[in-house]
Amino acid sequence: MMKQSTEQTPWYQSNFALFEKNLNGESSSRLHAMRMEAMARFTEMGFPTTKHEEWRFTNVSPIARATFQPSFQSDAAGLSSEDVERMSFGATHRLVFVNGHFVKELSSIGPLPGGVIVGDLASALKGNDELAHGSLGKHASIQENAFTALNMAFVQDGAFIYVPQGKVVEEAVSLLFISTGSTHRYIAPRNLIIVGDHARVTIAESYLSLANHGSLTNVVTEITAGENAVIEHDKLQNESPQAYHIASLHVHQKEKSNFISNSIAIGGGLVRNNVTSILDGEYAECTLNGLSVANGMQLIDNHTTIDHAKPNCPSHELYKSVLDGSSRGVFNGKIFVRKDAQKTDAKQTNMTLLLSDEATMDTKPQLEIFADDVKCTHGATVGQLDADQMFYLRSRGIGTTLAADILTFAFASDVVNRVHVDGLRGQLEALVHAKLGKGRER
Amino acid sequence: MLHINNLHARINGNEILSGVNLKVQPGEIHAIMGPNGSGKSTLAQVLAGREAYEVTEGEVLYEGKNLLELDPEERAREGVFLAFQYPVEIPGVSNTYFLKAALNSIRKHNGLEELDAVEFLKLIKQRMKIVDMDESLLSRPVNEGFSGGEKKRNEIFHMAVLEPKLAILDETDSGLDIDALRIVADGVNKLRRKDNAVIVVTHYQRLLNYIVPDFVHVLMEGRIVKSGTKELALELEEKGYDWIKVASDSTLATA
Ligand SMILES: Nc1ncnc2c1ncn2[C@@H]1O[C@H](COP(=O)(O)OP(=O)(O)OP(=O)(O)O)[C@@H](O)[C@H]1O
Ligand SMILES: [Mg+2]
């Protein structure tokens, strides 16, 4: 059982004090001022409860009750570069973080176009990189989401990626976040990704655990997409079944930029993914895809927001869940169409396949439309395997178990196939396959 | 090979089959004709094992075994094949992958070794020719976005790969253009062997010019009300079904 801190100062406050003590002079920096402000804001808000509209279906009281231990230094955890190469699908560029801290020895960056930065945020902040400092917290506000405030309070490390105007990073950049150790770690990476006008990059965040422990990963990623920028952001969440994982991805898109997010959640005990994109320039395009594969007692919650702030922007959204055992899924898809955002074309689809009677799904579209000349469609389905399809397969000799597997995998791979990075897609296919197979052997 | 005795079946409380009798011997081709809604597809689906239909009376023996006790996949593995009137779309599952899973399930059941990818590819390349299948349809998801005719042709392609003993073709001719009809019918003929049997459900005599039946049956109101040779199909083409209805009603009256 987790230790309970009843009368004592909560873990985040005592650790914050400890953290400040070890800052050696950095405590007067403008970065630290941001941390203090965030800690104050978090203390004010506290962990959300199910009374908050945004957290109605996801009860984070197990997180609120637990005591976590922030990690303040880097640790290679006995990993070899072969290990991480495998975990990061043999990517040319990979940044490895163990318990939220950059591990240089395990990371490897291939040749990059001039001016492109692929590195760790800690170095960029220490080096007083103006861009890094200026971009931190620009799109992810500490005012609304308590977890974002808590992330900022302990902000130390993460990825810092800058692709200047017109530059193209051909190979995907893999960001590998590995949690390890036996304590209830608090791991709070912060990623800043800035992509200039006409620049292109693909980034894949992967979250994995080496041990079965109830760590809390609380990550925030901020992406700026310049005019005509093309960005694919893939995410794999495959931590241990005890892990808590809260993530917020904030994207700000300028004119004619194209942003694609593929978010695949397989692991974790309690998982919440927030994805928010603001279409802040005409003809910007946004595609959000998601897949949850859950069983046992897992809860996977996806909250998305697409904010159509300017006219003529298309957005496409496809979120799928496969729920087995007593798992639970949540999907909340907000689409704002601002007054000026005429000719918006937004399409949202949420589909859930329930493989057991105990699994449940809460799905809610939330369309707020203030313009009149727009096209917005949304649809949600929750159901079992299709009886006609099952019969068709069986009538050709395929047994029930295999038939169900084939159909379930086909349902899930619809999302996996949208990942353009070959190595990652192969890894995802294998993981989804293994997880679905495991669910069946229950 | 197949003995259907007094088969009654219902769906959602409605009786659709009301005492079907039919005997099929190896090597024979039987045609079943009959008005819309008379129960032809119901019979085909019941034989394939569709669980939605409840058999309330009668029996079906297939090679001496009680067919109705077998699961759909067991029937298929024992050599029963249904070409669907409305082939089902399976998004995300390629035609080849599907067929390989089907064929290997059947082979395994029959004590044969499963085919590996290379052997399987060789086999389907060869079987594609039988129905002149477009290669592009192999890698596409099963039936998804296929035209009506492509779906029907794909059903016969599946049949060519799986080599059933008893094939039930439910309106495989509808939706096929004139050339395709001939090609598909030729394919069915090429797959004929003296120990295989085919039941073709059709509305049109034209198909029977190509696939020449040994027997023609008329299914009406859930029963086979008339059986004959291929000339019966010509007669039906000319006169429709009304005259049979009258005749069968009068037989009932005098019985
Ligand atoms: N699920 C169902 N619920 C109620 N009635 C059904 C159901 N399925 C089929 N039926 C009815 O059973 C009857 C027989 O249908 P069936 O499909 O077997 O006809 P058919 O002879 O194949 O017709 P067609 O020539 O049009 O293909 C029809 O009246 C149909 O409406
Ligand atoms: Mg029919």
Side-chain angles (χ1 to χ4, degrees):
Chain A
M1 281 307 291
M2 288 166 195
K3 273 178 270 159
Q4 250 168 280
S5 43
T6 33
E7 297 291 304
Q8 290 153 282
T9 334
W11 64 269
Y12 45 88
Q13 280 178 356
S14 54
N15 278 287
F16 191 72
L18 202 72
F19 179 41
E20 287 190 302
K21 236 191 265 170
N22 293 315
L23 284 175
N24 316 327
E26 203 207 299
S27 56
S28 59
S29 69
R30 109 181 114 139
L31 172 63
H32 196 62
M34 287 171 86
R35 287 189 190 121
M36 286 195 298
E37 190 196 345
M39 182 46 83
R41 180 65 188 140
F42 177 74
T43 310
E44 200 180 317
M45 281 191 282
F47 287 102
T49 68
T50 48
K51 288 200 189 86
H52 291 71
E53 187 55 34
E54 288 297 297
W55 296 88
R56 247 176 74 201
F57 299 109
T58 298
N59 186 349
V60 298
S61 64
I63 296 176
R65 279 199 309 266
T67 298
F68 295 96
Q69 177 64 54
S71 75
F72 295 118
Q73 70 227 2
S74 164
D75 171 13
L79 284 159
S80 71
S81 32
E82 287 76 52
D83 292 337
V84 294
E85 206 173 306
R86 195 169 24 83
M87 295 178 201
S88 56
F89 55 91
T92 314
H93 315 295
R94 72 164 182 262
L95 301 179
V96 178
F97 299 84
V98 175
N99 296 332
H101 294 276
F102 182 58
V103 184
K104 195 164 190 272
E105 311 84 76
L106 294 176
S107 302
S108 140
I109 303 295
L112 290 166
V116 172
I117 300 171
V118 174
D120 61 300
L121 182 65
S123 303
L125 292 173
K126 259 190 217 105
N128 273 322
D129 186 297
E130 198 44 49
L131 189 63
H133 279 278
S135 308
L136 186 62
K138 203 167 155 190
H139 307 309
S141 157
I142 59 165
Q143 298 308 320
E144 290 141 42
N145 185 333
F147 284 100
T148 302
L150 187 60
N151 173 280
M152 182 62 108
F154 286 95
V155 74
Q156 294 170 78
D157 211 347
F160 176 62
I161 295 172
Y162 171 55
V163 186
Q165 181 174 354
K167 301 292 180 187
V168 175
V169 179
E170 297 283 354
E171 302 286 339
V173 179
S174 163
L175 309 180
L176 190 58
F177 297 91
I178 302 167
S179 66
T180 169
S182 52
T183 51
H184 298 107
R185 291 216 191 263
Y186 173 65
I187 303 162
R190 181 73 172 221
N191 304 312
L192 291 185
I193 298 160
I194 299 133
V195 185
D197 297 350
H198 299 271
R200 289 170 183 243
V201 67
T202 296
I203 289 156
E205 295 181 26
S206 303
Y207 294 83
L208 314 169
S209 314
L210 288 186
N212 275 355
H213 59 88
S215 59
L216 167 59
T217 297
N218 177 27
V219 55
V220 174
T221 299
E222 293 176 90
I223 299 181
T224 305
E227 284 178 21
N228 286 290
V230 179
I231 304 168
E232 174 171 328
H233 180 270
D234 301 314
K235 180 183 170 191
L236 163 64
Q237 188 287 120
N238 195 23
E239 291 172 308
S240 87
Q242 279 79 34
Y244 303 108
H245 182 98
I246 313 280
S248 290
L249 171 64
H250 293 266
V251 188
H252 186 266
Q253 294 189 241
K254 291 207 181 125
E255 211 172 293
K256 294 186 188 138
S257 62
N258 188 341
F259 174 74
I260 300 173
S261 154
N262 298 303
S263 174
I264 283 75
I266 298 173
L270 191 166
V271 177
R272 166 66 171 257
N273 281 313
N274 301 307
V275 178
T276 301
S277 188
I278 300 175
L279 298 169
D280 200 15
E282 280 196 62
Y283 300 99
E285 182 166 357
C286 172
T287 305
L288 306 183
N289 302 315
L291 171 68
S292 307
V293 184
N295 59 24
M297 298 298 291
Q298 282 184 284
L299 162 62
I300 301 181
D301 175 345
N302 285 301
H303 268 60
T304 65
T305 304
I306 300 179
D307 191 343
H308 284 264
K310 295 278 152 67
N312 293 307
C313 294
S315 69
H316 327 267
E317 203 170 357
L318 174 68
Y319 266 76
K320 286 190 165 190
S321 302
V322 181
L323 306 176
D324 203 349
S326 304
S327 66
R328 288 180 50 211
V330 178
F331 175 76
N332 188 289
K334 266 190 209 149
I335 295 177
F336 291 116
V337 181
R338 306 289 173 187
K339 210 170 102 245
D340 296 334
Q342 300 295 4
K343 306 279 181 202
T344 286
D345 187 352
K347 184 166 193 270
Q348 180 187 88
T349 310
N350 178 229
M351 298 169 87
T352 303
L353 184 56
L354 296 176
L355 296 180
S356 91
D357 294 339
E358 286 76 43
T360 54
M361 179 73 195
D362 289 296
T363 175
K364 191 174 147 207
Q366 215 178 314
L367 274 53
E368 295 186 31
I369 301 168
F370 304 101
D372 44 32
D373 184 14
V374 301
K375 214 169 100 190
C376 289
T377 61
H378 66 91
T381 57
V382 179
Q384 278 110 26
L385 289 169
D386 182 82
D388 289 335
Q389 294 181 345
M390 277 297 285
F391 178 62
Y392 189 71
L393 268 75
R394 294 177 73 196
S395 79
R396 297 280 140 103
I398 301 172
T400 0
T401 312
L402 182 56
D405 277 2
I406 289 175
L407 293 179
T408 306
F409 187 70
F411 177 85
S413 37
D414 180 20
V415 175
V416 174
N417 287 340
R418 289 163 203 255
V419 171
H420 290 111
V421 185
D422 293 344
L424 176 60
R425 194 175 56 246
Q427 185 193 25
L428 293 171
E429 270 172 14
L431 287 169
V432 169
H433 213 270
K435 171 98 184 227
L436 292 174
K438 215 181 283 164
R440 201 189 63 233
E441 282 157 24
R442 240 170 335 132
Chain B
M1 170 173 244
L2 182 74
H3 283 210
I4 304 175
N5 296 318
N6 189 32
L7 183 66
H8 290 251
R10 52 162 70 193
I11 188 159
N12 297 338
N14 304 324
E15 183 165 272
I16 311 293
L17 300 182
S18 327
V20 174
N21 294 300
L22 183 68
K23 265 187 198 160
V24 179
Q25 304 295 346
E28 290 178 352
I29 294 186
H30 290 245
I32 297 179
M33 305 183 81
N36 291 134
S38 59
K40 303 179 298 297
S41 294
T42 302
L43 176 62
Q45 300 260 331
V46 167
L47 293 177
R50 182 81 202 222
E51 279 140 351
Y53 298 97
E54 184 197 351
V55 174
T56 50
E57 221 182 308
E59 62 169 1
V60 180
L61 296 175
Y62 169 72
E63 295 190 314
K65 287 181 289 270
N66 180 353
L67 187 72
L68 301 177
E69 270 182 356
L70 302 179
D71 284 335
E73 58 268 34
E74 292 171 327
R75 299 181 196 198
R77 293 169 191 172
E78 292 288 335
V80 178
F81 178 89
L82 169 63
F84 284 55
Q85 181 176 1
Y86 304 108
V88 181
E89 300 193 358
I90 316 283
V93 180
S94 83
N95 215 0
T96 6
Y97 180 83
F98 173 91
L99 266 180
K100 187 162 174 250
L103 181 66
N104 280 335
S105 299
I106 294 171
R107 287 179 67 93
K108 210 163 131 193
H109 173 82
N110 292 307
L112 298 169
E113 237 175 75
E114 296 186 27
L115 295 187
D116 64 27
V118 178
E119 294 165 322
F120 178 72
L121 214 64
K122 219 175 105 188
L123 176 84
I124 58 168
K125 285 264 150 80
Q126 180 206 337
R127 299 302 152 85
M128 263 166 54
K129 291 187 197 131
I130 295 181
V131 285
D132 197 14
M133 265 283 283
D134 190 327
E135 186 148 6
S136 69
L137 298 181
L138 290 180
S139 51
R140 277 173 56 184
V142 182
N143 295 323
E144 194 187 32
F146 284 24
S147 74
E150 285 169 342
K151 283 182 183 169
K152 296 304 175 77
R153 194 186 291 234
N154 194 38
E155 292 291 278
I156 303 306
F157 170 57
H158 286 193
M159 174 183 164
V161 173
L162 303 180
E163 298 183 279
K165 288 187 214 155
L166 173 66
I168 305 154
L169 313 182
D170 191 357
E171 290 197 31
T172 300
D173 53 338
S174 58
L176 290 175
D177 67 46
I178 300 155
D179 293 334
L181 178 71
R182 205 181 48 243
I183 291 161
V184 166
D186 278 352
V188 173
N189 288 331
K190 279 183 211 151
L191 295 167
R192 271 192 82 178
R193 288 209 236 101
K194 64 176 189 307
D195 54 346
N196 289 357
V198 183
I199 298 173
V200 289
V201 174
T202 184
H203 285 295
Y204 306 106
Q205 200 277 328
R206 192 170 56 208
L207 175 72
L208 304 179
N209 288 335
Y210 299 111
I211 303 176
V212 182
D214 300 294
F215 301 97
V216 174
H217 310 277
V218 179
L219 186 72
M220 283 174 85
E221 289 170 12
R223 284 181 309 138
I224 289 179
V225 293
K226 193 165 182 64
S227 297
T229 53
K230 60 174 194 274
E231 285 72 29
L232 176 57
L234 288 167
E235 204 175 347
L236 291 170
E237 180 97 351
E238 201 180 306
K239 301 201 239 167
Y241 293 108
D242 277 355
W243 61 283
I244 303 181
K245 197 171 161 64
V246 173
S248 70
D249 282 350
S250 61
T251 14
L252 277 181
T254 53

